[in-house]
Amino acid sequence: MYHSNKTQTLFMRCQHLSFLCIFILCIIGMSIFFCVNADAQDPSLAERVFEKYQTLLLREDILAILPVVLEEIKKPDNQELLTPETILLVLDDPDLLKTFIPNIDDKFIVLLKEDQEVQAMLRDTNFQALLQDIDAINELATLLEQNQQSLAERVFERYKDFFQREDIKSNLQEVLTAVKDPEIQPLLIPATIQAVADNPDILKAFLPDIPDSFITLLKEDAEVKAFINDPDVHLLLQDPAAIDELAALLAVEQPIHVIVRIVPSSVESPQVGEQLVITIDIADAKDVSGYQAVLEFDLTALRFVSLTHGTYLSGQLLPVETKVESNQISFAQIAIDTAATTSSGTLVTIIFEVISAKASKLTLSEVIIGALGGVPFPVTVENAEILEPPRKPWDVNGDGKVNILDLTYVASHFGSDNAPPEVDVNRDGKVNILDLTLVAAHFGEEA
């Protein structure tokens, strides 16, 4: 009995010891598992750099040159030079980089000189370490490729909360519409945007219709100031397509603003008796079902010959008589059952006969572009000018006609060494029978 109890006690102790060993092994195993997983989840050098500088690295001007720069840096000869000491030396004098890497993009040199964010990134020891690690460079290039967004997408993601503010939403549509104006676009260079950021009141000089509430925001709101100083925002404001994309992301419906223009906008007058052909075109339109306008021209320069409607409208068309009264041509066309399916096209083609080859204007007025239901669209009109052709040399006295006065003018200086330049009709430095013959050959012509 005694031995039996002793044996049982020993067995139980062994069993407890086994459980304890198993428990300890489990704890050790779990520790190893979590340590391994922790190591696996630690971001790589490229991931750390990308996470820290993602906004800068995805900037459009940076993306345009960075892949090429990284490829240059990966070359074995260049890798040997990429010590922290060399990098700091280049930051102090960016022009030195051409000495080490002759094929480096000049735009990168400019960024090194002028962009404080780029300078700060290159002083980061992690970024310097990455530049000396080809695998890390390749990983960063992959991350850049995977995370590339359009300009509008980057701005949208960066300022998503900002765009949801009620005061911003109430101004956004008018501002986006205003900056897309073709006359305003050439003004939207970074220097002008910076000037506006420094003195918002001058924005009224460029955009008279801009809401006063937006001017106030520019003056007083730190978030708006940060937004307007963002280099990506500068680029977006100069790109109408990017503005449209941002508007779509924001679910802001851009109002249709139709352009009606005379083509060509500037043309040298043909000669008297010849024809001048113009078209009146439409652009940036949507769901147009009718148009009308009046074209004014110079009766002393042109004679109306014909007007033909283009194919911009289709389906069942209602004929409207073209009227020509004095110097005005009135035209119109309506599609009864369908709207235009394209945003641009030719409304009419007009032919004139030239009766005097001189400068004049072609001007559109009373332009109406409408949708089904009688809804008019805002319209921007682009007129045209006819330029006086260069004076013909045989019209010696410049009165627009070649006649006896031109012949006598040349004859009066025949053989002269000090003759006025216009009587040397063929420009050979002499006034002789050749000049008289050239004038006589065009005798009776309008010049």
Side-chain angles (χ1 to χ4, degrees):
M1 181 70 176
Y2 173 78
H3 288 291
S4 175
N5 289 337
K6 187 175 182 180
T7 301
Q8 187 175 10
T9 301
L10 182 61
F11 174 78
M12 291 178 65
R13 287 180 178 176
C14 288
Q15 191 175 37
H16 288 158
L17 183 60
S18 297
F19 284 138
L20 180 62
C21 289
I22 291 171
F23 178 74
I24 292 172
L25 287 173
C26 287
I27 294 295
I28 293 173
M30 290 175 67
S31 300
I32 294 171
F33 174 79
F34 284 118
C35 286
V36 169
N37 274 337
D39 289 341
Q41 291 173 2
D42 281 343
S44 66
L45 176 59
E47 288 171 334
R48 294 199 304 277
V49 167
F50 180 77
E51 182 177 356
K52 186 173 183 180
Y53 297 105
Q54 180 174 354
T55 299
L56 173 61
L57 291 169
L58 291 175
R59 246 173 52 188
E60 189 162 301
D61 56 339
I62 301 293
L63 282 174
I65 59 175
L66 189 58
V68 178
V69 170
L70 292 179
E71 286 301 314
E72 280 293 324
I73 288 172
K74 282 165 54 179
K75 293 179 179 178
D77 291 344
N78 295 331
Q79 276 289 301
E80 295 176 4
L81 302 171
L82 285 170
T83 63
E85 293 76 18
T86 305
I87 295 171
L88 294 175
L89 188 65
V90 166
L91 284 171
D92 293 335
D93 183 5
D95 288 320
L96 285 175
L97 189 57
K98 278 284 186 184
T99 304
F100 303 121
I101 308 177
N103 294 328
I104 205 72
D105 195 317
D106 289 334
K107 294 177 182 176
F108 188 67
I109 304 291
V110 174
L111 283 171
L112 286 178
K113 290 180 178 179
E114 301 178 357
D115 197 303
Q116 294 181 353
E117 287 186 279
V118 173
Q119 294 168 7
M121 181 174 68
L122 284 166
R123 292 185 188 279
D124 188 321
T125 54
N126 276 337
F127 194 80
Q128 292 177 1
L130 179 139
L131 295 179
Q132 301 167 72
D133 184 337
I134 292 176
D135 289 337
I137 292 173
N138 288 336
E139 186 181 352
L140 178 62
T142 300
L143 288 170
L144 290 172
E145 186 175 348
Q146 292 173 345
N147 287 273
Q148 277 190 40
Q149 297 173 306
S150 69
L151 178 59
E153 288 170 335
R154 291 200 304 278
V155 171
F156 176 74
E157 289 296 331
R158 198 174 306 160
Y159 297 101
K160 187 181 294 185
D161 294 336
F162 170 72
F163 288 136
Q164 293 304 312
R165 280 174 37 182
E166 288 301 324
D167 54 347
I168 298 301
K169 288 164 70 174
S170 64
N171 284 282
L172 200 55
Q173 181 169 317
E174 288 185 73
V175 173
L176 292 179
T177 301
V179 297
K180 278 180 58 184
D181 189 314
E183 294 184 2
I184 299 302
Q185 275 292 302
L187 303 175
L188 289 172
I189 58 175
T192 305
I193 298 171
Q194 187 59 56
V196 167
D198 295 337
N199 182 13
D201 287 321
I202 68 174
L203 187 58
K204 278 285 185 183
F206 306 115
L207 300 170
D209 298 327
I210 205 75
D212 289 332
S213 55
F214 187 70
I215 303 290
T216 302
L217 285 171
L218 283 174
K219 289 179 178 179
E220 301 175 358
D221 195 293
E223 280 190 290
V224 175
K225 290 178 181 178
F227 176 75
I228 204 69
N229 282 307
D230 188 323
D232 274 349
V233 173
H234 293 185
L235 293 171
L236 181 136
L237 293 176
Q238 301 167 72
D239 186 343
I243 293 172
D244 286 341
E245 185 181 353
L246 177 62
L249 290 168
L250 295 168
V252 175
E253 185 175 350
Q254 291 290 287
I256 297 170
H257 199 99
V258 178
I259 297 173
V260 176
R261 57 169 65 101
I262 302 172
V263 179
S265 60
S266 181
V267 61
E268 185 180 296
S269 174
Q271 293 303 307
V272 173
E274 296 180 350
Q275 290 188 336
L276 171 67
V277 181
I278 66 161
T279 63
I280 298 178
D281 293 353
I282 189 170
D284 295 349
K286 181 181 180 182
D287 297 331
V288 171
S289 62
Y291 57 83
Q292 73 176 63
V294 175
L295 178 69
E296 298 180 12
F297 63 98
D298 186 344
L299 278 172
T300 66
L302 303 171
R303 182 182 69 82
F304 173 72
V305 176
S306 66
L307 180 148
T308 306
H309 288 276
T311 58
Y312 179 69
L313 294 182
S314 58
Q316 186 179 354
L317 302 176
L318 176 66
V320 179
E321 182 183 0
T322 299
K323 295 182 180 179
V324 181
E325 298 177 352
S326 184
N327 68 328
Q328 295 185 337
I329 308 166
S330 302
F331 60 91
Q333 190 175 56
I334 303 103
I336 297 174
D337 54 348
T338 58
T341 57
T342 60
S343 62
S344 60
T346 294
L347 301 180
V348 297
T349 299
I350 302 175
I351 299 175
F352 295 99
E353 180 187 349
V354 177
I355 58 177
S356 178
K358 64 178 186 179
S360 64
K361 301 286 187 181
L362 294 171
T363 307
L364 284 166
S365 62
E366 302 178 38
V367 179
I368 300 175
I369 305 296
L372 290 171
V375 179
F377 294 115
V379 177
T380 296
V381 172
E382 297 179 8
N383 294 314
E385 61 179 349
I386 301 171
L387 306 176
E388 184 176 357
R391 200 181 92 186
K392 301 298 187 288
W394 38 85
D395 177 20
V396 182
N397 64 0
D399 65 356
K401 303 173 183 177
V402 183
N403 55 26
I404 195 66
L405 298 178
D406 301 294
L407 283 171
T408 55
Y409 190 15
V410 176
S412 66
H413 294 282
F414 196 89
S416 173
D417 293 330
N418 298 311
E422 61 266 24
V423 299
D424 180 14
V425 181
N426 65 355
R427 306 295 189 258
D428 66 353
K430 302 172 185 178
V431 182
N432 53 27
I433 192 64
L434 296 177
D435 301 295
L436 285 170
T437 302
L438 189 54
V439 175
H442 293 275
F443 195 87
E445 293 182 2
E446 297 281 347

